[in-house]
Amino acid sequence: MKTAEEIFEILKNELGEIILSIDKDTPTEPIISVEPLKIHIVSKFLRDNSELQFDSLMCLSGVDDANGKKVKDNEGYDVIEGGTLSVYYHLYSTVLKHKITLKVSAPREDAKVESVENVWKCADWHEREAYDMIGIKFLNHPDLRRILMPYDWEENSHPLRKDFKVPEFYQGMKIPY
Amino acid sequence: MALKTETMVLNMGPQHPSTHGVLRLELEIEGELIVNVKPHLGYLHRCFEKHAEAMQYNQVIPYTDRMDYLASMGNNFGYVLAVEKLLGIQVPERVEYIRVIMAELQRIASHCVALGTNGADIGALTPFLYLFRDREYILSIIEETCGARMLYNYMWVGGLSHDIHPNFVRRTKEFTSYFKNTIVELDNLLTYNKIFIERTANIGVLPAETAINYGATGPMLRGSGIKFDLRKDDTYSIYNRFDFDIPVGQGLQGTVGDSWDRYYVRVREMEQSLRIIEQAIDQIPEGDVHSAIPKRIKPPKGTVYSRVENPRGELGYFIISDGNTNPFRVKVRAPSFVNLEILGELCKGHLIADVIAILGSIDIVLGEVDR
Amino acid sequence: MYQYFYDLTGSVIISTLITAVFPLVNVLLVALIGVYLERKVSAWMQDRVGPNRTGPFGLFQTIADFLKMLQKEDATATDIDKKLYNIAPVLVFAGSFAVYAVIPFSSKLIGSEIEVGLFYALAVSSFVVAGILMAGWSSNNKYSLLGAMRSAAQIVSYEIPTALVVLAMVMFLGTLSLSKISEMQTAYFWNWNILGGAEFGLSKFLLIPFMLVGFIIIFISTLAEVNRTPFDIPEAESELVAGYFTEYCGMKWAMFMLSEYGNMFAVSAIVSILFFGGYQSPFGYLGNTLGINWLIPYEQAFWFILKGWFFIFVQMWLRWTLPRLRVDQLMTVCWKYLIPYAFVNLIIIGIITLL
């Protein structure tokens, strides 16, 4: 069993640059920030290292950080420009019984994160959900389709974004409220 | 000249008697043999996560009821634990005990449905109704206390909505002694029924390695022979005070991790839940269940991931607080959502009838899969 | 039967009418009571109340259902094969209905007293397969198609053990006439075929175990032929929605149900004729004791209907207790167990009969 700081040290020593920082201020759990395009390397290391053995991905959540600039678009709605979208990975080791939280942040306009589907299979649907809801593109994901929304939902419309505008029409049909 | 054959695509659901709600499975079949299974979700998507962002922390609780509607207590429990962790609230002893008893009663009720529908999918309708009868017993006990059969909104951040009804302790005790007979009856009627064993043993075998890699939890994981239960391994509330076992699949009728094992684990788990209830019911201390409820819930900036052992597996709440009265983001790691992912893997090479048996043994609740 | 009613009424028209309508009334009554009983029996077994709103004890529930069925719109999907689709329920119903023509309800109440009654019953009841296949194919629904394919395979397979047991019985009895078979098991229950037949001797005791085996085989295989749980795979509700009649509604659907319940009674009747003395009373007749001869046919009808319903009850009992087999397991049961046993049984009964 290892604490988050120890894990951070191991990661920093082994992988260096990829690991960005550790955020210890949060009241409940320290979060390790990682490069979005290198997350699969970190994941694989975390899973296969005999000291760490993070064999299970508890949760993968896409988050709209909403830390950009709020501007009005031409119809008068608030739209967020700039800032980041993040993905949080909650890992657990069923053998060593320790936990760790990873975080990657990618720019909002072109959010691309490497998929960890081939490290933990259960990331498959979680990543699809994050793509569907937040609009984060997972590179090298085998089947990145929408999962909860209809397949023919408007492109680039992701409901869990903070500036999501509820559409008036769906496939030409008026949506009644 | 070789005979040219084509596979057929069979669309199972969203309206189908045994897809447990509105799951849609696209089965690619060759005769009756399954070549490929593609689940399609989202028919019950009710935007829980989006709603949660627009609600205050305590207003989210009724929405959690509606995710896994067969185990609403567990959903409440997980959510309030997460928020309490964020706020750093210690709830009174009495609340802890009542919560545990409620969650365990709910676990039994939920397993009743799971086992019943698993049997009903295979064609045994009578055990299904017996189990529903007993589930109704539990629901009426809970109803007496909190006024609702399924969607309770019972556990609040820092406490409970009501104290227990004066009859609660007596009726729960009556129930625990009564329900033991039902388990014996169920074992005789279904668990060791030759046809039932033939239908479920060696069907949908899930090896332990795969189970972990796919993130399977709850009876799915334990059915594969891994002794892992959050109540013991990552203990929360006051579960460490009780003495109970974790049943695991042993492959008694076939291979470890087959559908029968998952079924069997659930049956034995009901017994363990009864044990916990029996221990807890006598120890409920006096106290006020409202004393720790905060007037205004405004947690500090930060994130929390809190998980509880729901009847279907690990229910995780990932909450981000930005210091406001509304959560910034609530992500739910629903056990059914993750467990369902394995379906395609499990079904390959089996027959259509087995898909139903496997789906029944995974025990999904679509309200939770789609949220 | 015609002769009996002619003697009774003295009118050609009335007796012809009764004879003609009798099987139809029977099959309708069986379905009416069967559906009600199924609901009540399942309710008792499952700790429920069952229908209790329509009439006393819900007795009129099936009638109400029937009326509802009649009023329903005959909704059909667009891309169906209209002709086959419409013929199928009639064909299925005709198959089970036609069997009633030869079932001897008592020594006097037989629709048609033909010499090859047993053979006719077997032949006509397999007519159902054609109807089911037509229904499954014409519905243009994959569930229906799968259901129909399963059903055809199942009924055709299970006809073999049935036929083998029937063959053994025919060898033993020396006749194909259902009324003669009943007649041979007269007087008391120890004369029933299940207890070795009417002839008293060593062979009677030798036969008893093999008769039992024969009875079990024919009961299981007839259960499969009428698509009841644990063999209700063609219409497996949880897998195939409703199998071959998924796309049917209203009266056409009701015809399938009618034929199912009709079939249940028909096979029960055949089993009870072959092994349980048909319409013969187990304890002798009240009519004989009291010297009222006209009472005897009614007593016989009573016993026959009682036996028939007893077997229907057993079928229901099994249905509400057991889970359903899988398609391949069903075939295994038939080809690997029932057929070899039936063959051996046939040979042994043949040898004993020769002795």
Side-chain angles (χ1 to χ4, degrees):
Chain A
M1 191 141 172
K2 286 197 163 31
T3 61
E5 283 83 5
E6 287 167 347
I7 294 167
F8 178 70
E9 282 310 312
I10 296 174
L11 284 177
K12 199 80 194 163
N13 292 339
E14 293 283 337
L15 300 167
E17 300 281 280
I18 302 171
I19 312 297
L20 298 173
S21 63
I22 181 164
D23 178 8
K24 280 182 274 195
D25 293 338
T26 52
T28 50
E29 49 194 12
I31 296 169
I32 297 175
S33 293
V34 180
E35 284 255 344
L37 297 178
K38 299 282 161 37
I39 179 72
H40 60 295
I41 300 170
V42 182
S43 302
K44 204 164 244 151
F45 177 77
L46 284 169
R47 185 190 67 178
D48 295 336
N49 189 301
S50 58
E51 278 180 275
L52 302 171
Q53 295 192 39
F54 282 105
D55 50 2
S56 136
L57 174 71
M58 294 190 286
C59 184
L60 186 154
S61 355
V63 175
D64 178 4
D65 294 324
N67 48 4
K69 200 166 55 177
K70 269 197 188 137
V71 288
K72 297 254 186 241
D73 69 355
N74 42 20
E75 285 169 43
Y77 289 101
D78 276 340
V79 178
I80 300 171
E81 263 175 18
T84 52
L85 302 176
S86 302
V87 182
Y88 287 77
Y89 302 82
H90 293 84
L91 310 179
Y92 181 70
S93 162
T94 53
V95 187
L96 303 171
K97 311 224 180 287
H98 50 203
K99 295 183 215 172
I100 188 69
T101 310
L102 302 182
K103 176 189 175 182
V104 300
S105 295
R108 185 186 188 86
E109 268 64 47
D110 185 28
K112 282 192 179 125
V113 176
E114 196 67 37
S115 168
V116 294
E117 190 267 346
N118 50 6
V119 184
W120 301 288
K121 277 275 186 217
C122 81
D124 183 355
W125 282 15
H126 278 303
E127 284 176 356
R128 274 176 70 187
E129 193 190 330
Y131 162 71
D132 189 2
M133 292 289 138
I134 308 282
I136 298 161
K137 292 204 173 52
F138 289 90
L139 305 176
N140 296 326
H141 187 283
D143 182 25
L144 197 65
R145 286 174 297 147
R146 287 189 181 271
I147 184 164
L148 295 178
M149 304 302 284
Y151 295 126
D152 54 1
W153 192 254
E154 204 182 321
E155 198 100 343
N156 297 323
S157 162
H158 301 285
L160 268 186
R161 286 207 182 178
K162 290 286 178 184
D163 58 352
F164 174 69
K165 189 173 69 187
V166 181
E168 275 178 52
F169 291 93
Y170 166 63
Q171 300 292 325
M173 291 176 284
K174 180 108 176 75
I175 300 171
Y177 290 105
Chain B
M1 199 178 85
L3 199 63
K4 215 180 114 201
T5 55
E6 274 177 22
T7 54
M8 178 164 98
V9 174
L10 185 70
N11 199 23
M12 195 180 254
Q15 277 90 32
H16 186 277
S18 57
T19 48
H20 294 236
V22 287
L23 174 66
R24 180 175 149 220
L25 297 173
E26 204 181 307
L27 307 177
E28 199 184 331
I29 52 177
E30 204 182 309
E32 295 241 346
L33 215 65
I34 305 290
V35 181
N36 209 351
V37 180
K38 252 195 207 165
H40 296 275
L41 320 175
Y43 290 89
L44 207 60
H45 181 50
R46 289 149 306 166
C47 329
F48 167 76
E49 288 168 9
K50 190 79 182 170
H51 275 304
E53 287 173 15
M55 297 287 156
Q56 291 180 0
Y57 281 93
N58 48 354
Q59 291 172 326
V60 176
I61 298 171
Y63 284 93
T64 63
D65 283 335
R66 282 151 182 83
M67 288 193 307
D68 183 352
Y69 43 77
L70 295 177
S72 303
M73 282 292 178
N75 296 3
N76 287 177
F77 202 1
Y79 179 75
V80 297
L81 276 180
V83 180
E84 278 161 14
K85 218 167 165 184
L86 209 54
L87 287 165
I89 295 178
Q90 184 60 43
V91 296
E93 282 280 285
R94 185 177 175 80
V95 173
E96 296 271 28
Y97 273 94
I98 295 171
R99 278 181 182 178
V100 166
I101 292 167
M102 285 294 185
E104 291 309 310
L105 278 177
Q106 183 77 89
R107 188 184 312 278
I108 296 172
S110 170
H111 279 345
C112 279
V113 180
L115 299 173
T117 48
N118 194 357
D121 285 348
I122 288 168
L125 226 62
T126 304
F128 169 73
L129 282 147
Y130 285 174
L131 288 166
F132 259 61
R133 174 194 67 198
D134 295 335
R135 171 176 177 254
E136 212 53 44
Y137 198 145
I138 301 174
L139 297 187
S140 76
I141 293 174
I142 298 179
E143 187 184 12
E144 209 171 33
T145 289
C146 70
R149 274 181 71 252
M150 278 175 85
L151 310 165
Y152 311 112
N153 184 17
Y154 182 61
M155 295 180 193
W156 285 0
V157 177
L160 303 166
S161 70
H162 305 77
D163 203 345
I164 49 172
H165 192 272
N167 287 341
F168 180 80
V169 174
R170 180 179 55 82
R171 288 192 70 191
T172 308
K173 278 180 181 166
E174 277 169 15
F175 170 76
T176 49
S177 59
Y178 158 83
F179 192 71
K180 281 173 188 152
N181 299 328
T182 303
I183 297 179
V184 174
E185 198 178 46
L186 180 69
D187 276 347
N188 290 333
L189 196 57
L190 192 61
T191 313
Y192 295 108
N193 182 310
K194 178 79 179 140
I195 298 178
F196 184 74
I197 292 172
E198 286 288 322
R199 281 298 303 276
T200 50
N202 291 325
I203 298 297
V205 179
L206 176 64
E209 292 274 299
T210 323
I212 292 176
N213 199 256
Y214 268 99
T217 44
M220 281 288 276
L221 185 64
R222 291 193 283 277
S224 298
I226 297 167
K227 223 181 175 98
F228 180 78
D229 189 318
L230 292 176
R231 290 174 292 174
K232 275 230 157 99
D233 288 272
D234 190 8
T235 189
Y236 55 96
S237 191
I238 49 163
Y239 274 108
N240 50 3
R241 296 185 199 172
F242 303 114
D243 175 33
F244 63 99
D245 300 326
I246 304 169
V248 290
Q250 299 149 345
L252 289 179
Q253 306 292 343
T255 328
V256 178
D258 57 11
S259 297
W260 192 84
D261 270 352
R262 291 194 278 275
Y263 169 92
Y264 182 73
V265 163
R266 290 198 179 93
V267 179
R268 300 281 84 88
E269 242 171 56
M270 295 203 293
E271 284 170 356
Q272 300 306 324
S273 291
L274 285 179
R275 268 177 78 185
I276 298 177
I277 294 170
E278 276 171 349
Q279 290 168 46
I281 196 81
D282 289 323
Q283 302 174 23
I284 303 178
E286 290 299 315
D288 181 10
V289 296
H290 298 295
S291 60
I293 297 178
K295 284 264 167 341
R296 186 149 166 271
I297 302 170
K298 203 174 172 189
K301 242 179 170 185
T303 65
V304 65
Y305 180 78
S306 160
R307 51 185 192 159
V308 291
E309 181 76 27
N310 230 27
R312 275 161 198 81
E314 171 186 328
L315 175 72
Y317 284 91
F318 175 55
I319 301 178
I320 301 180
S321 156
D322 58 351
N324 272 325
T325 50
N326 293 3
F328 182 76
R329 170 93 166 95
V330 178
K331 153 93 187 180
V332 181
R333 183 243 193 247
S336 305
F337 179 77
V338 182
N339 288 351
L340 184 61
E341 225 176 314
I342 320 175
L343 183 72
E345 198 82 354
L346 292 185
C347 288
K348 263 173 208 162
H350 284 306
L351 300 172
I352 294 178
D354 295 330
V355 175
I356 300 299
I358 294 169
L359 193 65
S361 76
I362 293 179
D363 179 27
I364 49 161
V365 167
L366 260 294
E368 186 181 54
V369 174
D370 294 344
R371 285 153 297 170
Chain C
M1 190 158 82
Y2 175 77
Q3 196 58 42
Y4 175 71
F5 282 108
Y6 186 72
D7 292 345
L8 211 64
T9 59
S11 156
V12 179
I13 301 167
I14 295 178
S15 44
T16 312
L17 258 180
I18 293 178
T19 315
V21 170
F22 180 73
L24 183 65
V25 171
N26 255 321
V27 84
L28 288 177
L29 269 180
V30 162
L32 219 58
I33 302 166
V35 172
Y36 173 75
L37 205 67
E38 176 110 78
R39 289 176 165 186
K40 272 295 188 197
V41 167
S42 66
W44 292 328
M45 285 180 183
Q46 298 171 343
D47 215 352
R48 295 185 285 123
V49 182
N52 65 348
R53 297 284 137 160
T54 335
F57 309 106
L59 272 170
F60 302 138
Q61 185 65 49
T62 3
I63 298 171
D65 279 348
F66 187 71
L67 289 175
K68 180 198 73 178
M69 250 11 138
L70 277 175
Q71 293 171 37
K72 272 198 167 176
E73 186 198 348
D74 183 27
T76 51
T78 42
D79 277 343
I80 52 166
D81 191 334
K82 266 261 154 60
K83 268 184 209 149
L84 292 182
Y85 181 82
N86 288 330
I87 296 170
V90 182
L91 207 63
V92 171
F93 178 63
S96 64
F97 173 48
V99 179
Y100 279 71
V102 291
I103 292 178
F105 280 80
S106 75
S107 53
K108 296 287 189 287
L109 290 173
I110 313 171
S112 164
E113 210 170 329
I114 50 173
E115 277 300 309
V116 287
L118 196 50
F119 179 66
Y120 168 82
L122 278 184
V124 157
S125 65
S126 50
F127 212 44
V128 174
V129 186
I132 287 174
L133 269 178
M134 278 159 105
W137 177 256
S138 64
S139 296
N140 193 21
N141 178 321
K142 287 165 186 169
Y143 288 111
S144 300
L145 186 64
L146 280 172
M149 289 304 167
R150 283 177 175 194
S151 183
Q154 176 179 337
I155 294 181
V156 168
S157 318
Y158 275 86
E159 221 139 70
I160 298 168
T162 315
L164 284 173
V165 174
V166 167
L167 198 62
M169 292 313 289
V170 168
M171 219 157 64
F172 169 65
L173 297 161
T175 175
L176 277 166
S177 160
L178 287 169
S179 54
K180 275 191 189 141
I181 294 174
S182 304
E183 210 62 58
M184 286 165 92
Q185 309 174 53
T186 183
Y188 297 97
F189 62 87
W190 52 80
N191 286 340
W192 290 355
N193 284 340
I194 188 94
L195 296 175
E199 215 169 310
F200 192 81
L202 178 64
S203 65
K204 182 176 164 75
F205 295 102
L206 279 177
L207 272 173
I208 292 174
F210 302 105
M211 285 296 176
L212 258 174
V213 171
F215 162 66
I216 291 167
I217 291 172
I218 201 171
F219 188 73
I220 293 174
S221 47
T222 51
L223 211 59
E225 269 187 73
V226 295
N227 298 337
R228 299 282 295 179
T229 326
F231 306 107
D232 65 341
I233 290 149
E235 52 205 71
E237 181 209 322
S238 54
E239 297 152 28
L240 298 184
V241 191
Y244 51 85
F245 52 79
T246 308
E247 288 287 339
Y248 285 88
C249 74
M251 232 13 236
K252 283 178 196 154
W253 181 82
M255 298 245 298
F256 282 112
M257 282 319 267
L258 215 61
S259 87
E260 181 183 332
Y261 283 90
N263 258 334
M264 272 166 76
F265 188 81
V267 297
S268 304
I270 297 214
V271 168
S272 69
I273 289 166
L274 279 178
F275 288 97
F276 290 88
Y279 52 72
Q280 302 290 358
S281 151
F283 320 110
Y285 296 104
L286 204 64
N288 274 339
T289 335
L290 299 176
I292 322 168
N293 266 335
W294 60 264
L295 195 63
I296 294 176
Y298 298 100
E299 268 188 69
Q300 288 173 332
F302 165 76
W303 283 113
F304 186 75
I305 290 167
L306 191 73
K307 285 172 194 171
W309 281 107
F310 172 74
F311 284 112
I312 291 188
F313 172 72
V314 175
Q315 290 180 359
M316 289 176 181
W317 186 4
L318 287 174
R319 168 166 181 180
W320 297 108
T321 311
L322 294 176
R324 180 183 303 125
L325 284 167
R326 207 172 52 209
V327 148
D328 57 325
Q329 289 163 347
L330 178 93
M331 290 296 159
T332 314
V333 170
C334 180
W335 292 98
K336 285 198 181 156
Y337 299 99
L338 292 184
I339 291 180
Y341 289 151
F343 253 120
V344 172
N345 210 37
L346 170 74
I347 292 165
I348 293 174
I349 289 181
I351 292 169
I352 295 174
T353 316
L354 269 183
L355 287 174

